[in-house]
Amino acid sequence: MTTADPEKQLVGHSGAGPDAPGDPMISVRGLWKVFGAREKRVRDLMDSPDARLPREELREKTGMTAAVRDVGFDVAPGEVFVVMGLSGSGKSTLIRCMSRLIEPTAGRVVLDGEDVGAAGPRRLREIRRHKVAMVFQHFGLLPHRQVIDNVAYGLEIQGVGRAERHARAREILALVGLDGHDASYPDQLSGGMQQRVGLARALAVDPAVLFFDEPFSALDPLIRRDMQNEVIRLHHEVGKTLVFITHDLAEALKLGDRIALMRDGEIVQTGRPEDLVGSPADDYVADFVRDVPKAGVLTLRYLARPAGPGEGGAGAELPGTTLVRDALRASLSDENPLRVVEDGELVGVVDRAAVISVIAAGGER
């Protein structure tokens, strides 16, 4: 994320993603969560054609509900990975399986090089205390404790002394814009401020990964927008790996470096926001993104074509993450195609006609 205005930064804001170097921070392979059957029947289901039946048909035929079906993906260090879907799609069950708040039926989750599924009870507690923090829709603050002690709670569980944990808590409160509220109690704060306390509590333990399970869905629209901007700002400052669950497409497009869209426990498509909006995998995804203003999501790297003879040295030069709407003025001011660069290298060019076509298309395919 390079801009100081998070409201304008809809895509590609962290620079992390599938092309980021090194091993993934999170690797999920063959993850299943099936409710309502003994393990042997579940194993039989996973290997049968019934596993692909629509959810209601599967439940009627087998008595089992497959909340998560054979899900796999990687999350790069420092990436904001958004899992999006309608109610009942399996997204919240997925994130709970990843942290083993719910035990997966099958599959593997590797977090920062460690197999979470192989961890015993003591090691799992250590992972939750030091490597992972979660922010939920319901803030879960301790009403009888002051804000500073709510923020420092995770450090207290770790055994950190009072003076040290309070000093850390004050640093984080300032980071999330709650400087001076350390002596307040949760019921003295607005909903948005309480969610900031929850966010500060998660950040205080300095985790490698932050899990967000629809944290802003209960907030008023204006407060929700402010909290989204706060997440973008904090991600820019602290650079944590984020897995963010939401049912809100606009929120997913605004926050995500990549988005996984779920339906009936399966991932239908994974990609950058511009991939889902510009190249939906099927009619379900196309219907999901039909009304999205494409010029505010599609980027120059998505539109770029190989440079032809003589096109590599002329035309305005813009980063590949530039939104099409933000490239219109440069495109209209120069007859030459725009030169699209990433990491100092020319990756292609974009014609004026392509820019105007996306602007004119609006929210329709």
Side-chain angles (χ1 to χ4, degrees):
M1 186 168 67
T2 57
T3 181
D5 184 358
E7 191 67 22
K8 294 182 179 179
Q9 196 65 29
L10 299 187
V11 295
H13 47 75
S14 78
D19 301 323
D23 295 329
M25 177 60 73
I26 303 171
S27 182
V28 177
R29 291 292 181 272
L31 197 67
W32 286 77
K33 181 57 187 178
V34 180
F35 296 98
R38 292 172 297 185
E39 184 173 353
K40 184 179 184 304
R41 290 186 62 198
V42 170
R43 298 287 176 178
D44 292 342
L45 169 68
M46 289 163 51
D47 296 329
S48 76
D50 288 347
R52 302 304 174 189
L53 288 174
R55 179 171 295 180
E56 288 303 312
E57 291 184 32
L58 176 68
R59 186 172 59 81
E60 291 176 5
K61 184 173 182 178
T62 67
M64 292 181 274
T65 299
V68 177
R69 311 191 202 198
D70 197 20
V71 166
F73 55 84
D74 289 336
V75 181
E79 182 178 14
V80 181
F81 187 84
V82 175
V83 182
M84 182 186 67
L86 300 177
S87 178
S89 62
K91 57 189 185 298
S92 289
T93 302
L94 169 62
I95 201 170
R96 283 167 166 75
C97 286
M98 290 170 65
S99 58
R100 283 184 62 192
L101 292 174
I102 296 175
E103 288 292 339
T105 303
R108 193 163 183 251
V109 177
V110 177
L111 192 152
D112 197 16
E114 182 170 4
D115 188 340
V116 177
R122 178 178 296 180
R123 180 56 191 158
L124 185 58
R125 285 194 296 272
E126 290 301 304
I127 291 172
R128 290 173 180 165
R129 288 175 181 176
H130 297 278
K131 285 193 173 185
V132 176
M134 294 195 70
V135 182
F136 297 96
Q137 174 181 342
H138 302 291
F139 317 132
L141 303 181
L142 302 171
H144 61 288
R145 288 195 168 199
Q146 293 178 334
V147 163
I148 192 168
D149 289 311
N150 270 280
V151 173
Y153 182 71
L155 297 171
E156 182 180 347
I157 295 298
Q158 291 179 7
V160 178
R162 187 174 187 273
E164 183 180 348
R165 68 177 184 259
H166 276 195
R168 171 67 175 167
R170 288 190 181 94
E171 290 177 7
I172 301 301
L173 283 169
L175 185 67
V176 301
L178 289 177
D179 197 10
H181 291 277
D182 50 307
S184 300
Y185 286 89
D187 63 1
Q188 296 174 317
L189 305 179
S190 67
M193 293 172 74
Q194 289 183 42
Q195 190 59 284
R196 286 174 187 262
V197 175
L199 181 56
R201 180 177 55 190
L203 288 169
V205 297
D206 195 25
V209 176
L210 282 163
F211 288 151
F212 292 82
D213 190 5
E214 300 205 63
F216 309 143
S217 58
L219 300 177
D220 293 336
L222 292 179
I223 299 174
R224 181 172 186 161
R225 184 190 64 190
D226 289 344
M227 288 303 301
Q228 292 165 355
N229 292 338
E230 187 71 7
V231 167
I232 293 173
R233 182 185 69 82
L234 288 172
H235 184 253
H236 174 57
E237 293 192 17
V238 301
K240 300 295 182 183
T241 304
L242 274 56
V243 179
F244 197 101
I245 304 297
T246 184
H247 65 271
D248 187 299
L249 176 61
E251 186 168 73
L253 295 173
K254 182 173 183 175
L255 297 179
D257 293 311
R258 284 189 302 145
I259 300 168
L261 178 58
M262 292 191 72
R263 176 184 58 187
D264 285 342
E266 297 181 284
I267 290 180
V268 182
Q269 184 174 358
T270 303
R272 295 185 174 106
E274 59 261 44
D275 298 325
L276 270 69
V277 172
S279 303
D282 59 17
D283 290 342
Y284 180 78
V285 182
D287 192 49
F288 228 103
V289 302
R290 189 176 308 279
D291 296 324
V292 173
K294 291 180 172 51
V297 177
L298 297 187
T299 60
L300 293 185
R301 71 183 168 200
Y302 180 83
L303 295 182
R305 62 170 177 80
E311 290 183 326
E317 181 177 291
L318 293 173
T321 55
T322 304
L323 298 175
V324 171
R325 71 180 183 197
D326 296 332
L328 179 61
R329 180 174 297 179
S331 180
L332 293 176
S333 65
D334 192 336
E335 293 184 357
N336 294 299
L338 298 174
R339 300 172 65 246
V340 183
V341 296
E342 291 190 339
D343 298 324
E345 298 290 330
L346 181 70
V347 297
V349 297
V350 175
D351 299 310
R352 179 189 294 176
V355 172
I356 293 175
S357 176
V358 171
I359 298 288
E364 297 298 326
R365 290 196 68 207

